[in-house]
Amino acid sequence: MKHTLDKLSEIIDKAAQNSEVVAQLSSSDTINLEAAYQIQKLSNLRRLARGEAHTGYKLGFTSKAKMEQMDVHDVIWGRLTNTMNIQNNGPLKLEQFIHPRVEPEIAFSVAKRIDKVLTISNVKEYVDAIAPALEIIDSRYKKFKFSLEDVIADNCSSSAYVIGQWFPKNQEINHLEIELSINNEVKQKGNSSAILGNPWESMIEISKMAKKYNFVIEPGEIILAGAATPAEFLTIDDNVVATFEQLGTVSLNIK
Ligand code: OOG
Ligand code: MG
C-alpha cells in the first residue's frame, strides 16, 4: 500500500468536493472489498464532519442493463446525504459535477428499524412509502472507468438524487414500464422488473449488506433500489424526465 485508507478517503473526498477527476485508487494501491467499503465510510465521515446529514443508502448494479453498461457485475451499496437531495423538477448546477449521468430509480422510505435480513414476506412491514426517483452519478475517476473496488470507494459514483411523489407501500412497483427522456426525446426504456426481478428485492439486498457490513437502517431513511436502465450523460439546459407507469414523473433541469 502506498497510501493509508484515510489518505485514500481524503483523495476521493477532495475529488468529489472539487469536481476533479482522479486516477483509480487501485492504480496506486491494492484495495480489497473490505478496504473499499472502509474508504467509502471514511470519506462519508468527512462529509458528516462538514455538517452533512446521513439520509439513507443506494444500491448499484441491481440490473443487467447497468452491469453491462459499466462492466461491473456485483451488487454494491453507497451512502446518501442531505446535500445530495435535489428538489423534484429543481435545478442542478452542472459546474458542481465532473461528467454527470442520470438514471431512473425507485425510492423506498423506511418505516421501521432494519437490523436483520428481511424476506419477501416481511419486507413491506419495513417500508411506509415508495416514490419514483432519479439518481445523478458522477464517477470521480477519469472517463467514468473503474473496478468494483474503485467504484465502491467512490461511494458508488453517487452524487445527487431527486425524489418524486410518494405513494403508499401497497402501490404495485414491479413490472412497471420506465422511460427516461431528455429534452422530450426518449433516451432509455426499461421495466422495473429488471431490478433484481422485483424492486422489493433491493430492500432485502440492503438488509443483507447492513448485516454483513454492520450497520442498521433507521426509520425515515431512503433506499434507492438501483437503476433499471443504463444512465445518460447530462449537458447544460437539459430537461430530464423519468416516467414510471402508475407512479408518474420525476424531473430535473440542468443549469
Ligand atoms: C455506479 C453506480 C451504479 C446503479 O443504479 O446501478 C448505480 C455507476 O454506474 O457509476 O447507481
Ligand atoms: Mg443508481
Side-chain angles (χ1 to χ4, degrees):
M1 287 290 266
K2 213 169 126 191
H3 302 99
T4 62
L5 295 182
D6 194 51
K7 182 66 193 173
L8 292 169
S9 80
E10 185 188 341
I11 293 170
I12 203 74
D13 175 62
K14 280 231 167 85
Q17 231 193 332
N18 302 335
S19 311
E20 276 168 12
V21 286
V22 288
Q24 290 178 50
L25 301 183
S26 63
S27 66
S28 56
D29 294 80
T30 310
I31 301 163
N32 62 21
L33 210 60
E34 198 186 333
Y37 276 113
Q38 193 58 28
I39 295 164
Q40 182 194 118
K41 181 177 182 176
L42 292 170
S43 79
N44 177 256
L45 286 175
R46 291 171 182 275
R47 281 174 172 267
L48 300 184
R50 288 195 292 271
E52 294 184 34
H54 172 78
T55 53
Y57 300 92
K58 62 158 286 181
L59 285 152
F61 303 130
T62 52
S63 70
K64 223 183 213 140
K66 280 290 306 181
M67 289 180 186
E68 281 169 4
Q69 184 179 36
M70 306 315 293
D71 199 21
V72 176
H73 297 263
D74 294 86
V75 174
I76 57 176
W77 62 275
R79 295 163 157 96
L80 304 174
T81 72
N82 63 330
T83 61
M84 296 164 76
N85 187 7
I86 292 170
Q87 214 188 316
N88 190 8
N89 202 33
L92 182 128
K93 283 213 179 102
L94 201 60
E95 70 209 24
Q96 290 168 0
F97 299 85
I98 304 164
H99 38 206
R101 283 172 153 162
V102 67
E103 56 194 20
E105 297 265 349
I106 289 175
F108 296 94
S109 165
V110 174
K112 210 161 94 176
R113 188 165 220 243
I114 302 173
D115 55 5
K116 62 173 185 192
V117 173
L118 305 182
T119 66
I120 202 68
S121 50
N122 70 7
V123 61
K124 274 195 183 174
E125 290 168 32
Y126 292 82
V127 167
D128 54 18
I130 292 151
L134 293 169
E135 185 183 21
I136 292 82
I137 51 174
D138 191 29
S139 176
R140 271 53 71 162
Y141 301 120
K142 280 178 204 150
K143 299 190 172 162
F144 227 112
K145 289 243 181 326
F146 42 68
S147 67
L148 172 67
E149 290 79 10
D150 284 312
V151 70
I152 290 167
D154 183 24
N155 199 27
C156 304
S157 308
S158 201
S159 54
Y161 65 95
V162 187
I163 306 285
Q165 193 198 323
W166 287 107
F167 287 81
K169 64 177 169 187
N170 286 326
Q171 167 67 45
E172 182 57 64
I173 52 167
N174 204 8
H175 304 293
L176 303 183
E177 295 293 336
I178 302 171
E179 269 182 15
L180 179 67
S181 298
I182 301 182
N183 302 327
N184 288 316
E185 194 187 318
V186 178
K187 297 281 191 183
Q188 296 290 346
K189 271 178 183 261
N191 191 287
S192 63
S193 62
I195 305 162
L196 298 171
N198 177 356
W200 282 106
E201 291 288 342
S202 288
M203 284 300 303
I204 296 171
E205 199 56 44
I206 197 71
S207 74
K208 286 183 188 162
M209 298 296 195
K211 178 141 199 250
K212 183 167 176 193
Y213 292 97
N214 209 21
F215 60 93
V216 290
I217 305 170
E218 301 290 350
E221 292 187 4
I222 284 167
I223 309 294
L224 295 179
T229 74
E232 286 289 326
F233 278 115
L234 292 169
T235 49
I236 198 140
D237 291 335
D238 278 351
N239 167 250
V240 180
V241 181
T243 307
F244 295 71
E245 197 184 349
Q246 295 184 43
L247 302 179
T249 61
V250 53
S251 59
L252 188 63
N253 297 294
I254 314 305
K255 300 290 175 198

